[in-house]
Amino acid sequence: MQNVLLAISGPSGVGKGTLVKLLMEEDENLALSVSCTTRAPREGEVDGREYFFISKQEFLSRISEDDFLEYDEHFGNYYGTPRSFVERRLKEKSVVLEIDVVGALNAKRLMPQTVLVMIVPPDMEELEDRLCGRGSESACERSERLRRVRYELAQQDKYDYVVVNDDLQTAKKRLQEIIQTERNKG
Ligand code: ADP
Ligand code: 5GP
């Protein structure tokens, strides 16, 4: 069995965070890559758990030190995957990157073994409901995020797997099957 590097993408509000949390709880051989971001923490988010919350100045200095496997800018903030963390953890466990489509495709270019999984909503109405239900963005930020959804969903054919997050437990089981299949390839 091999350790796999899995990039899980999908539109904001589709349920990535919820699914990844369930996967982590049930599989001790899975580690979540904690990204760095320059955005402010949302209520309940803890530094070093959801993200490492760093200043723009520190982010730019780490870019110049080639410290990110990939990075991107979303909604005026930087987000990046720390290279050293991923390489170190992959020696012990399978690693999940929870990143956007552009970031995932960039990661695959640098680490071709990356398995790309896209989570998609059952329909657009449900996605909008979930995003509004989370209540962490203003109406303006939400509409910006929804505009991006169509672009992200259009990248599905570049992905190794597409998982519909309709029923949460069914989507979680499908992700567990995918991880098992990829581990067995080694
Ligand atoms: P993301 O990380 O993709 O932005 P979240 O995991 O924060 O999305 O989920 C957005 C909202 O949708 C949350 O309130 C979450 O509880 C809810 N949610 C996630 N998956 C489902 C599902 N299968 N059915 C109904 N609600 C869901
Ligand atoms: P949020 O602010 O909702 O946590 O995340 C906003 C967007 O940033 C999401 O699409 C999320 O997938 C993306 N993101 C989170 N971490 C990273 C990362 O390390 N790299 C890239 N490229 N995108 C990220």
Side-chain angles (χ1 to χ4, degrees):
M1 247 189 14
Q2 65 175 353
N3 291 332
V4 294
L5 179 59
L6 208 74
I8 297 188
S9 317
S12 188
V14 78
K16 299 180 296 292
T18 308
L19 282 164
V20 165
K21 187 163 176 281
L22 290 175
L23 291 178
M24 293 299 145
E25 281 167 5
E26 294 184 19
D27 186 344
E28 59 181 20
N29 290 313
L30 211 54
L32 180 63
S33 163
V34 180
S35 297
C36 295
T37 182
T38 59
R39 84 150 160 76
R42 295 185 187 124
E43 205 179 317
E45 287 183 334
V46 175
D47 187 44
R49 192 178 65 188
E50 281 79 12
Y51 288 103
F52 293 107
F53 296 98
I54 63 174
S55 67
K56 188 168 176 186
Q57 194 185 10
E58 186 181 343
F59 202 103
L60 294 176
S61 121
R62 288 177 65 168
I63 291 174
S64 67
E65 286 158 14
D66 199 22
D67 200 24
F68 293 114
L69 188 57
E70 59 75 38
Y71 68 90
D72 204 355
E73 202 180 342
H74 306 281
F75 324 113
N77 288 303
Y78 285 104
Y79 294 78
T81 306
R83 179 197 297 277
S84 51
F85 176 92
V86 171
E87 289 174 349
R88 206 169 52 239
R89 291 321 295 269
L90 261 182
K91 294 199 176 107
E92 305 151 4
K93 296 182 179 204
S94 292
V95 174
V96 172
L97 311 176
E98 192 195 320
I99 52 176
D100 75 302
V101 171
V102 176
L105 294 171
N106 282 338
K108 183 142 186 150
R109 253 191 297 279
L110 281 170
M111 297 179 84
Q113 79 269 36
T114 311
V115 178
L116 301 182
V117 182
M118 184 178 290
I119 313 289
V120 298
D123 54 61
M124 289 297 286
E125 232 172 49
E126 173 66 21
L127 180 67
E128 206 163 337
D129 284 352
R130 286 183 197 169
L131 207 49
C132 294
R134 192 169 65 181
S136 55
E137 278 88 16
S138 68
C140 167
E141 278 181 323
R142 273 201 300 274
S143 73
E144 195 179 332
R145 279 166 193 254
L146 285 170
R147 266 200 298 280
R148 203 181 151 79
V149 169
R150 284 183 206 290
Y151 164 76
E152 288 176 322
L153 294 179
Q155 309 299 310
Q156 277 180 50
D157 58 344
K158 299 184 181 136
Y159 272 63
D160 299 303
Y161 299 95
V162 175
V163 175
V164 181
N165 181 20
D166 190 353
D167 173 68
L168 189 62
Q169 292 304 319
T170 308
K172 182 198 75 180
K173 283 207 190 88
R174 178 69 191 124
L175 285 169
Q176 288 171 329
E177 279 169 17
I178 290 168
I179 293 168
Q180 204 47 50
T181 302
E182 292 296 327
R183 278 176 169 152
N184 289 340
K185 283 185 181 171

